[in-house]
Amino acid sequence: MYKRLSSVMFPIFAVLLVGALVWGYQENQEKNAILIKAENQYQRAFHDLSFHMDKLHSEIGNTLAVHSSSQGMHRKGLMNVWRLTSEAQNEINQLPLTMLPFNETEDFLSRISNFAYRASMRDLTNEPLSEKEMGNLKKLYQNSSEITKNLQDVQQKVISDRLRWMDAELAMATEEQTMDNTIVDGFRTVNKKVQEYPELDWGPSVSNIYAKRSVKKLDGLPMTKEQIQSKAAKFSDADSSKIQVQENGKGTDWESYTATIDHAHSGKMMMDFTRNGGMLISYSDTRPIGTKKVSRQDAMAKADQFLVNKGYKEMKAVNYDEYGNLGNLTYVRKQGDTLIYPEKMSVRVGLDTGEVTGFQASDFVYEHNDKRKIPKVGLSEQQARQKLNSEFEENYVRKSLIENDYSKEVLCYEFGGRINGSRYRIYINANTGMEEAVEEIKPVNQPS
């Protein structure tokens, strides 16, 4: 009996064993193929990074080598610097550096990129590179030379010792000190040296991009939990005894309070306030949203009334979107006959009842200025209109204060209309006639 059983089972087990071996072999081959592909991508990105940093160094040198009045060559050189730093940033993002402190180098390249872009885009004939900017380029030339040399040293070791990025990634993940960390140590060295470079004066157009908002810069006395509880009760029309207040970021630049109210049935209301002045930053009602029953017009009317009731009486809706059963509106403050775009906020409406379920006002809180001075216009509306494409079909025009690519507030004529079958807003500088911005408006975003 055992003979017969073994004669039947043995071939079955043999087939299963062979199948398991074949499956394991195939799995191993596929795994190796994936690892090889990842390794090749890492190697390509690293060698491209080394190449583009070398080219960046050369391009800065070329820009410095020409005469100070060669605006055309300066523009060309700066555009190439911007392109090369963008390439280098892209390659850094392709490397497994998430666990490795390389943020100083990334920030350094980002600042070079923004400086080069903004300088190259301005009218260098009327506003050539200043002595300070030329001095910055000289320092960047020296710094990029050092970074390039360090990367090339790592590159040489990678090639000569046949180092693998997969091993470096494993070393970072396991913090295994016995493994060859040549790549890891090389990038740490680059980052450490960049960190030691003296801070350059990039000018306001670049510095404003990296300026950190701090609640400590806000006016107003620090609020207590009890005061925030009272503010939350007033805003939500709720019993203050049912409101829980939590302090956030104590001792940091982001001190704030979060007030929470549990709904009787489901969901909760949450409000964030600044510690200084107790200004409302955001409001969210997490109640379930039912089937859409409210029209766009009714949703906008409800949102308008909500802002008026909460003390925001000078707001104008400029955008409307729908996502699912929610309507999202963007508002900006109106001062006289001018829209102040930096002072914007967003309101979310549940399209089942039309009630406001969300409110985000951080930009409004940080940028609000009751004493903001609106610049005088240098061009008439008709003169600005002449700067538009002749095929542009105008629907409306209004004055708007916006922040341009150089982080400067500029007064514009905002023209809304159609061209090429799509809706656009075109912002024409009210003093120079330059096109400061062009914005395509999706079909649901028609101006009110």
Side-chain angles (χ1 to χ4, degrees):
M1 177 179 176
Y2 289 111
K3 269 190 173 184
R4 291 175 61 187
L5 186 61
S6 61
S7 65
V8 173
M9 297 302 296
F10 179 77
I12 295 175
F13 281 119
V15 170
L16 290 174
L17 178 61
V18 171
L21 291 172
V22 170
W23 177 81
Y25 176 76
Q26 289 176 337
E27 285 289 303
N28 187 60
Q29 289 293 97
E30 290 177 4
K31 180 181 178 181
N32 287 337
I34 293 172
L35 292 175
I36 291 171
K37 183 178 180 180
E39 179 64 29
N40 290 340
Q41 289 176 339
Y42 289 154
Q43 291 286 355
R44 177 186 54 76
F46 170 63
H47 293 299
D48 284 349
L49 172 63
S50 179
F51 171 76
H52 284 127
M53 285 303 301
D54 184 43
K55 290 288 290 182
L56 174 63
H57 172 66
S58 299
E59 200 60 53
I60 296 175
N62 294 344
T63 306
L64 289 168
V66 299
H67 193 273
S68 59
S69 62
S70 300
Q71 282 83 23
M73 289 301 295
H74 284 165
R75 183 185 301 280
K76 178 182 176 182
L78 289 168
M79 286 301 293
N80 284 332
V81 167
W82 170 70
R83 177 179 58 81
L84 290 167
T85 50
S86 298
E87 293 278 1
Q89 288 174 289
N90 179 54
E91 284 140 12
I92 289 173
N93 290 332
Q94 295 178 47
L95 294 173
L97 301 176
T98 53
M99 291 171 284
L100 181 64
F102 204 59
N103 57 301
E104 295 291 340
T105 306
E106 291 182 86
D107 183 68
F108 179 72
L109 288 173
S110 174
R111 289 173 188 266
I112 295 176
S113 177
N114 282 303
F115 164 74
Y117 175 77
R118 279 162 172 73
S120 64
M121 291 301 291
R122 76 181 189 225
D123 186 353
L124 292 176
T125 303
N126 295 324
E127 193 180 355
L129 293 176
S130 65
E131 290 185 12
K132 182 185 293 184
E133 289 171 329
M134 293 299 290
N136 282 349
L137 282 175
K138 290 178 181 178
K139 291 175 183 177
L140 292 176
Y141 182 68
Q142 297 170 355
N143 295 343
S144 62
S145 173
E146 187 174 25
I147 294 173
T148 298
K149 184 180 181 304
N150 289 332
L151 285 176
Q152 288 176 343
D153 289 343
V154 177
Q155 186 180 31
Q156 186 60 40
K157 291 177 182 177
V158 168
I159 294 173
S160 61
D161 298 342
R162 297 183 178 181
L163 301 178
R164 299 195 314 164
W165 270 93
M166 300 301 294
D167 294 335
E169 186 176 26
L170 181 61
M172 288 185 285
T174 61
E175 298 183 356
E176 179 60 57
Q177 299 299 319
T178 59
M179 297 184 70
D180 190 342
N181 289 352
T182 302
I183 295 176
V184 176
D185 293 341
F187 273 78
R188 280 181 177 150
T189 299
V190 172
N191 199 62
K192 188 172 184 298
K193 288 186 176 180
V194 171
Q195 191 174 14
E196 294 170 354
Y197 292 155
E199 182 64 34
L200 299 179
D201 183 358
W202 299 95
S205 65
V206 175
S207 298
N208 286 345
I209 300 173
Y210 302 93
K212 294 181 179 179
R213 287 173 166 176
S214 169
V215 293
K216 290 184 178 179
K217 296 178 183 178
L218 296 174
D219 294 330
L221 296 173
M223 295 283 112
T224 64
K225 285 188 176 182
E226 291 73 21
Q227 288 172 312
I228 294 298
Q229 192 175 46
S230 176
K231 282 179 170 288
K234 183 178 179 181
F235 183 86
S236 61
D237 298 321
D239 186 345
S240 61
S241 64
K242 297 180 179 180
I243 300 175
Q244 297 179 335
V245 178
Q246 177 182 342
E247 191 172 358
N248 307 313
K250 190 174 182 179
T252 71
D253 284 351
W254 296 98
E255 292 180 298
S256 63
Y257 289 102
T258 298
T260 305
I261 310 168
D262 289 326
H263 275 310
H265 302 292
S266 60
K268 60 180 64 176
M269 293 184 190
M270 292 181 290
M271 288 158 278
D272 290 326
F273 294 86
T274 62
R275 183 170 182 267
N276 288 3
M279 289 175 279
L280 182 66
I281 301 173
S282 66
Y283 159 74
S284 178
D285 186 344
T286 63
R287 70 171 180 82
I289 306 297
T291 306
K292 177 182 175 181
K293 298 177 182 177
V294 177
S295 68
R296 173 195 171 202
Q297 289 73 21
D298 289 341
M300 294 182 70
K302 291 270 191 180
D304 289 346
Q305 191 59 51
F306 170 85
L307 292 180
V308 171
N309 293 343
K310 302 306 179 184
Y312 304 97
K313 298 181 180 180
E314 299 177 335
M315 306 305 294
K316 170 75 173 176
V318 295
N319 269 343
Y320 177 85
D321 285 305
E322 282 187 17
Y323 182 78
N325 295 330
L326 293 170
N328 299 289
L329 298 98
T330 301
Y331 285 83
V332 298
R333 188 172 72 86
K334 190 173 183 179
Q335 183 172 320
D337 62 349
T338 304
L339 297 180
I340 313 298
Y341 272 86
E343 297 185 33
K344 66 177 181 289
M345 61 176 61
S346 59
V347 177
R348 186 178 70 237
V349 177
L351 298 179
D352 53 350
T353 64
E355 294 178 352
V356 170
T357 61
F359 170 81
Q360 174 57 249
S362 55
D363 285 319
F364 182 87
V365 167
Y366 289 105
E367 301 294 339
H368 182 59
N369 181 4
D370 284 325
K371 299 179 181 179
R372 188 187 297 273
K373 293 184 179 180
I374 307 297
K376 293 183 178 180
V377 299
L379 300 175
S380 68
E381 189 178 295
Q382 183 57 35
Q383 288 174 316
R385 186 174 285 110
Q386 292 174 0
K387 306 294 182 180
L388 296 171
N389 189 312
S390 59
E391 297 180 7
F392 185 78
E393 300 174 10
E394 179 187 330
N395 291 335
Y396 71 90
V397 60
R398 57 196 180 194
K399 285 194 288 185
S400 299
L401 189 74
I402 69 169
E403 193 174 89
N404 65 9
D405 288 341
Y406 304 100
S407 301
K408 293 180 180 179
E409 290 186 358
V410 291
L411 181 63
C412 295
Y413 286 107
E414 175 191 332
F415 291 93
R418 287 183 174 275
I419 189 170
N420 299 325
S422 298
R423 297 181 66 88
Y424 288 91
R425 289 192 182 114
I426 300 177
Y427 299 87
I428 304 294
N429 191 303
N431 286 287
T432 66
M434 289 182 59
E435 293 171 330
E436 294 286 356
V438 178
E439 177 185 358
E440 183 180 3
I441 308 300
K442 302 302 179 183
V444 293
N445 290 0
Q446 298 173 3
S448 59

PDB file of all heavy atoms in Angstrom, residues 10 14 26-27 60 95-96 109 113 116 127 178 187 250 284 298 300 324 341 353 365 384 387 400 437:
ATOM      1  N   PHE A  10       5.090  10.714  -4.985  1.00  0.00           N
ATOM      2  CA  PHE A  10       6.444  11.189  -5.296  1.00  0.00           C
ATOM      3  C   PHE A  10       6.473  12.074  -6.539  1.00  0.00           C
ATOM      4  O   PHE A  10       7.072  13.159  -6.520  1.00  0.00           O
ATOM      5  CB  PHE A  10       7.394   9.995  -5.457  1.00  0.00           C
ATOM      6  CG  PHE A  10       8.800  10.404  -5.793  1.00  0.00           C
ATOM      7  CD1 PHE A  10       9.640  10.907  -4.809  1.00  0.00           C
ATOM      8  CD2 PHE A  10       9.270  10.305  -7.095  1.00  0.00           C
ATOM      9  CE1 PHE A  10      10.930  11.304  -5.123  1.00  0.00           C
ATOM     10  CE2 PHE A  10      10.547  10.698  -7.412  1.00  0.00           C
ATOM     11  CZ  PHE A  10      11.390  11.188  -6.423  1.00  0.00           C
ATOM     12  N   ALA A  14       7.478  15.927  -6.594  1.00  0.00           N
ATOM     13  CA  ALA A  14       8.585  16.320  -7.471  1.00  0.00           C
ATOM     14  C   ALA A  14       8.185  17.480  -8.369  1.00  0.00           C
ATOM     15  O   ALA A  14       8.942  18.444  -8.563  1.00  0.00           O
ATOM     16  CB  ALA A  14       9.039  15.125  -8.314  1.00  0.00           C
ATOM     17  N   GLN A  26      12.317  32.720 -10.889  1.00  0.00           N
ATOM     18  CA  GLN A  26      11.729  33.818 -11.639  1.00  0.00           C
ATOM     19  C   GLN A  26      11.537  35.064 -10.761  1.00  0.00           C
ATOM     20  O   GLN A  26      11.789  36.188 -11.197  1.00  0.00           O
ATOM     21  CB  GLN A  26      10.379  33.389 -12.225  1.00  0.00           C
ATOM     22  CG  GLN A  26      10.509  32.373 -13.373  1.00  0.00           C
ATOM     23  CD  GLN A  26       9.155  31.908 -13.867  1.00  0.00           C
ATOM     24  OE1 GLN A  26       8.157  31.973 -13.138  1.00  0.00           O
ATOM     25  NE2 GLN A  26       9.113  31.423 -15.103  1.00  0.00           N
ATOM     26  N   GLU A  27      11.077  34.817  -9.521  1.00  0.00           N
ATOM     27  CA  GLU A  27      10.914  35.941  -8.597  1.00  0.00           C
ATOM     28  C   GLU A  27      12.240  36.622  -8.329  1.00  0.00           C
ATOM     29  O   GLU A  27      12.336  37.857  -8.287  1.00  0.00           O
ATOM     30  CB  GLU A  27      10.311  35.443  -7.269  1.00  0.00           C
ATOM     31  CG  GLU A  27       8.837  35.121  -7.325  1.00  0.00           C
ATOM     32  CD  GLU A  27       7.994  36.376  -7.444  1.00  0.00           C
ATOM     33  OE1 GLU A  27       8.109  37.258  -6.577  1.00  0.00           O
ATOM     34  OE2 GLU A  27       7.252  36.490  -8.429  1.00  0.00           O
ATOM     35  N   ILE A  60      28.392  80.484 -14.912  1.00  0.00           N
ATOM     36  CA  ILE A  60      28.539  81.667 -14.059  1.00  0.00           C
ATOM     37  C   ILE A  60      29.820  82.404 -14.425  1.00  0.00           C
ATOM     38  O   ILE A  60      29.864  83.638 -14.504  1.00  0.00           O
ATOM     39  CB  ILE A  60      28.535  81.278 -12.569  1.00  0.00           C
ATOM     40  CG1 ILE A  60      27.180  80.675 -12.168  1.00  0.00           C
ATOM     41  CG2 ILE A  60      28.828  82.498 -11.691  1.00  0.00           C
ATOM     42  CD1 ILE A  60      27.133  80.156 -10.745  1.00  0.00           C
ATOM     43  N   LEU A  95      17.528  61.103  -6.556  1.00  0.00           N
ATOM     44  CA  LEU A  95      18.460  60.322  -5.739  1.00  0.00           C
ATOM     45  C   LEU A  95      17.822  59.979  -4.391  1.00  0.00           C
ATOM     46  O   LEU A  95      16.990  60.736  -3.890  1.00  0.00           O
ATOM     47  CB  LEU A  95      19.749  61.107  -5.515  1.00  0.00           C
ATOM     48  CG  LEU A  95      20.592  61.378  -6.765  1.00  0.00           C
ATOM     49  CD1 LEU A  95      21.757  62.310  -6.441  1.00  0.00           C
ATOM     50  CD2 LEU A  95      21.115  60.071  -7.352  1.00  0.00           C
ATOM     51  N   PRO A  96      18.214  58.849  -3.788  1.00  0.00           N
ATOM     52  CA  PRO A  96      17.617  58.432  -2.498  1.00  0.00           C
ATOM     53  C   PRO A  96      18.216  59.206  -1.328  1.00  0.00           C
ATOM     54  O   PRO A  96      18.922  58.658  -0.487  1.00  0.00           O
ATOM     55  CB  PRO A  96      17.973  56.942  -2.431  1.00  0.00           C
ATOM     56  CG  PRO A  96      19.273  56.840  -3.163  1.00  0.00           C
ATOM     57  CD  PRO A  96      19.194  57.850  -4.288  1.00  0.00           C
ATOM     58  N   LEU A 109      20.754  75.870  -4.193  1.00  0.00           N
ATOM     59  CA  LEU A 109      20.446  75.822  -5.627  1.00  0.00           C
ATOM     60  C   LEU A 109      19.122  76.522  -5.929  1.00  0.00           C
ATOM     61  O   LEU A 109      18.981  77.182  -6.961  1.00  0.00           O
ATOM     62  CB  LEU A 109      20.388  74.368  -6.093  1.00  0.00           C
ATOM     63  CG  LEU A 109      21.726  73.632  -6.185  1.00  0.00           C
ATOM     64  CD1 LEU A 109      21.501  72.155  -6.487  1.00  0.00           C
ATOM     65  CD2 LEU A 109      22.624  74.249  -7.254  1.00  0.00           C
ATOM     66  N   SER A 113      18.621  79.611  -8.484  1.00  0.00           N
ATOM     67  CA  SER A 113      17.652  79.487  -9.569  1.00  0.00           C
ATOM     68  C   SER A 113      16.701  80.681  -9.588  1.00  0.00           C
ATOM     69  O   SER A 113      16.471  81.290 -10.645  1.00  0.00           O
ATOM     70  CB  SER A 113      16.866  78.180  -9.414  1.00  0.00           C
ATOM     71  OG  SER A 113      15.884  78.061 -10.409  1.00  0.00           O
ATOM     72  N   ALA A 116      18.611  83.940 -10.591  1.00  0.00           N
ATOM     73  CA  ALA A 116      18.931  83.985 -12.018  1.00  0.00           C
ATOM     74  C   ALA A 116      17.689  84.236 -12.857  1.00  0.00           C
ATOM     75  O   ALA A 116      17.717  85.016 -13.814  1.00  0.00           O
ATOM     76  CB  ALA A 116      19.611  82.682 -12.437  1.00  0.00           C
ATOM     77  N   GLU A 127      17.658  98.404 -16.187  1.00  0.00           N
ATOM     78  CA  GLU A 127      18.032  98.004 -14.823  1.00  0.00           C
ATOM     79  C   GLU A 127      19.088  96.911 -14.889  1.00  0.00           C
ATOM     80  O   GLU A 127      18.808  95.745 -14.661  1.00  0.00           O
ATOM     81  CB  GLU A 127      16.788  97.524 -14.067  1.00  0.00           C
ATOM     82  CG  GLU A 127      17.000  97.376 -12.579  1.00  0.00           C
ATOM     83  CD  GLU A 127      15.748  96.891 -11.860  1.00  0.00           C
ATOM     84  OE1 GLU A 127      14.679  96.767 -12.507  1.00  0.00           O
ATOM     85  OE2 GLU A 127      15.839  96.608 -10.651  1.00  0.00           O
ATOM     86  N   THR A 178      29.508  49.971   9.447  1.00  0.00           N
ATOM     87  CA  THR A 178      30.573  49.121   8.907  1.00  0.00           C
ATOM     88  C   THR A 178      30.539  49.067   7.395  1.00  0.00           C
ATOM     89  O   THR A 178      31.488  48.635   6.753  1.00  0.00           O
ATOM     90  CB  THR A 178      30.425  47.683   9.460  1.00  0.00           C
ATOM     91  OG1 THR A 178      29.133  47.163   9.077  1.00  0.00           O
ATOM     92  CG2 THR A 178      30.538  47.675  10.972  1.00  0.00           C
ATOM     93  N   PHE A 187      28.237  63.303   0.192  1.00  0.00           N
ATOM     94  CA  PHE A 187      27.121  64.244   0.148  1.00  0.00           C
ATOM     95  C   PHE A 187      26.992  65.014   1.456  1.00  0.00           C
ATOM     96  O   PHE A 187      26.621  66.191   1.454  1.00  0.00           O
ATOM     97  CB  PHE A 187      25.816  63.499  -0.174  1.00  0.00           C
ATOM     98  CG  PHE A 187      25.567  63.352  -1.638  1.00  0.00           C
ATOM     99  CD1 PHE A 187      26.233  62.399  -2.386  1.00  0.00           C
ATOM    100  CD2 PHE A 187      24.684  64.187  -2.288  1.00  0.00           C
ATOM    101  CE1 PHE A 187      26.018  62.273  -3.744  1.00  0.00           C
ATOM    102  CE2 PHE A 187      24.454  64.077  -3.648  1.00  0.00           C
ATOM    103  CZ  PHE A 187      25.127  63.117  -4.382  1.00  0.00           C
ATOM    104  N   LYS A 250       3.962  75.799  21.366  1.00  0.00           N
ATOM    105  CA  LYS A 250       4.403  76.688  22.437  1.00  0.00           C
ATOM    106  C   LYS A 250       5.914  76.901  22.371  1.00  0.00           C
ATOM    107  O   LYS A 250       6.687  75.963  22.246  1.00  0.00           O
ATOM    108  CB  LYS A 250       4.014  76.092  23.792  1.00  0.00           C
ATOM    109  CG  LYS A 250       4.218  77.050  24.957  1.00  0.00           C
ATOM    110  CD  LYS A 250       3.687  76.475  26.259  1.00  0.00           C
ATOM    111  CE  LYS A 250       3.844  77.468  27.394  1.00  0.00           C
ATOM    112  NZ  LYS A 250       3.306  76.949  28.672  1.00  0.00           N
ATOM    113  N   SER A 284     -13.365  74.649  10.271  1.00  0.00           N
ATOM    114  CA  SER A 284     -13.770  73.452   9.530  1.00  0.00           C
ATOM    115  C   SER A 284     -14.887  72.738  10.274  1.00  0.00           C
ATOM    116  O   SER A 284     -14.793  72.506  11.484  1.00  0.00           O
ATOM    117  CB  SER A 284     -12.579  72.504   9.352  1.00  0.00           C
ATOM    118  OG  SER A 284     -12.979  71.330   8.667  1.00  0.00           O
ATOM    119  N   ASP A 298     -27.074  80.287  -5.195  1.00  0.00           N
ATOM    120  CA  ASP A 298     -27.477  80.243  -3.786  1.00  0.00           C
ATOM    121  C   ASP A 298     -26.270  79.993  -2.876  1.00  0.00           C
ATOM    122  O   ASP A 298     -26.172  80.556  -1.779  1.00  0.00           O
ATOM    123  CB  ASP A 298     -28.524  79.148  -3.567  1.00  0.00           C
ATOM    124  CG  ASP A 298     -29.871  79.519  -4.178  1.00  0.00           C
ATOM    125  OD1 ASP A 298     -30.080  80.724  -4.434  1.00  0.00           O
ATOM    126  OD2 ASP A 298     -30.700  78.617  -4.406  1.00  0.00           O
ATOM    127  N   MET A 300     -23.169  80.900  -3.440  1.00  0.00           N
ATOM    128  CA  MET A 300     -22.403  82.145  -3.359  1.00  0.00           C
ATOM    129  C   MET A 300     -23.098  83.155  -2.448  1.00  0.00           C
ATOM    130  O   MET A 300     -22.439  83.862  -1.674  1.00  0.00           O
ATOM    131  CB  MET A 300     -22.200  82.726  -4.761  1.00  0.00           C
ATOM    132  CG  MET A 300     -21.327  81.862  -5.667  1.00  0.00           C
ATOM    133  SD  MET A 300     -21.043  82.571  -7.298  1.00  0.00           S
ATOM    134  CE  MET A 300     -19.967  83.937  -6.890  1.00  0.00           C
ATOM    135  N   GLY A 324     -17.407  67.425  -5.997  1.00  0.00           N
ATOM    136  CA  GLY A 324     -18.370  66.583  -5.309  1.00  0.00           C
ATOM    137  C   GLY A 324     -19.579  67.414  -4.909  1.00  0.00           C
ATOM    138  O   GLY A 324     -20.176  68.114  -5.722  1.00  0.00           O
ATOM    139  N   TYR A 341      -5.578  91.416  -4.063  1.00  0.00           N
ATOM    140  CA  TYR A 341      -5.418  89.965  -4.165  1.00  0.00           C
ATOM    141  C   TYR A 341      -4.554  89.336  -3.068  1.00  0.00           C
ATOM    142  O   TYR A 341      -4.802  88.182  -2.688  1.00  0.00           O
ATOM    143  CB  TYR A 341      -4.877  89.594  -5.546  1.00  0.00           C
ATOM    144  CG  TYR A 341      -5.976  89.387  -6.574  1.00  0.00           C
ATOM    145  CD1 TYR A 341      -6.505  90.459  -7.285  1.00  0.00           C
ATOM    146  CD2 TYR A 341      -6.504  88.130  -6.805  1.00  0.00           C
ATOM    147  CE1 TYR A 341      -7.524  90.291  -8.207  1.00  0.00           C
ATOM    148  CE2 TYR A 341      -7.525  87.938  -7.725  1.00  0.00           C
ATOM    149  CZ  TYR A 341      -8.034  89.024  -8.433  1.00  0.00           C
ATOM    150  OH  TYR A 341      -9.047  88.834  -9.337  1.00  0.00           O
ATOM    151  N   THR A 353     -27.135  71.906   1.976  1.00  0.00           N
ATOM    152  CA  THR A 353     -27.933  72.915   2.683  1.00  0.00           C
ATOM    153  C   THR A 353     -27.495  74.344   2.373  1.00  0.00           C
ATOM    154  O   THR A 353     -28.234  75.283   2.669  1.00  0.00           O
ATOM    155  CB  THR A 353     -27.824  72.700   4.202  1.00  0.00           C
ATOM    156  OG1 THR A 353     -26.453  72.919   4.605  1.00  0.00           O
ATOM    157  CG2 THR A 353     -28.252  71.298   4.594  1.00  0.00           C
ATOM    158  N   VAL A 365      -5.061  87.025   7.082  1.00  0.00           N
ATOM    159  CA  VAL A 365      -4.558  87.387   8.406  1.00  0.00           C
ATOM    160  C   VAL A 365      -3.161  87.997   8.308  1.00  0.00           C
ATOM    161  O   VAL A 365      -2.869  89.034   8.922  1.00  0.00           O
ATOM    162  CB  VAL A 365      -4.539  86.152   9.330  1.00  0.00           C
ATOM    163  CG1 VAL A 365      -3.722  86.423  10.596  1.00  0.00           C
ATOM    164  CG2 VAL A 365      -5.956  85.750   9.705  1.00  0.00           C
ATOM    165  N   ALA A 384      -4.316 100.902 -21.438  1.00  0.00           N
ATOM    166  CA  ALA A 384      -3.995  99.533 -21.025  1.00  0.00           C
ATOM    167  C   ALA A 384      -4.647  98.530 -21.955  1.00  0.00           C
ATOM    168  O   ALA A 384      -4.058  97.493 -22.290  1.00  0.00           O
ATOM    169  CB  ALA A 384      -4.449  99.303 -19.590  1.00  0.00           C
ATOM    170  N   LYS A 387      -2.843  97.169 -24.990  1.00  0.00           N
ATOM    171  CA  LYS A 387      -1.784  96.175 -24.798  1.00  0.00           C
ATOM    172  C   LYS A 387      -2.302  94.742 -24.944  1.00  0.00           C
ATOM    173  O   LYS A 387      -1.526  93.793 -24.938  1.00  0.00           O
ATOM    174  CB  LYS A 387      -1.155  96.335 -23.406  1.00  0.00           C
ATOM    175  CG  LYS A 387      -0.648  97.743 -23.102  1.00  0.00           C
ATOM    176  CD  LYS A 387       0.503  98.138 -23.987  1.00  0.00           C
ATOM    177  CE  LYS A 387       1.030  99.525 -23.636  1.00  0.00           C
ATOM    178  NZ  LYS A 387       2.155  99.934 -24.493  1.00  0.00           N
ATOM    179  N   SER A 400      -6.916  95.911  -9.939  1.00  0.00           N
ATOM    180  CA  SER A 400      -6.507  94.879  -8.979  1.00  0.00           C
ATOM    181  C   SER A 400      -5.066  95.119  -8.548  1.00  0.00           C
ATOM    182  O   SER A 400      -4.219  95.497  -9.362  1.00  0.00           O
ATOM    183  CB  SER A 400      -6.613  93.486  -9.602  1.00  0.00           C
ATOM    184  OG  SER A 400      -7.935  93.184  -9.993  1.00  0.00           O
ATOM    185  N   ALA A 437       0.645  89.203 -15.439  1.00  0.00           N
ATOM    186  CA  ALA A 437       0.209  87.818 -15.237  1.00  0.00           C
ATOM    187  C   ALA A 437      -0.920  87.491 -16.200  1.00  0.00           C
ATOM    188  O   ALA A 437      -1.684  88.371 -16.606  1.00  0.00           O
ATOM    189  CB  ALA A 437      -0.255  87.605 -13.793  1.00  0.00           C
TER     190      ALA A 437
END
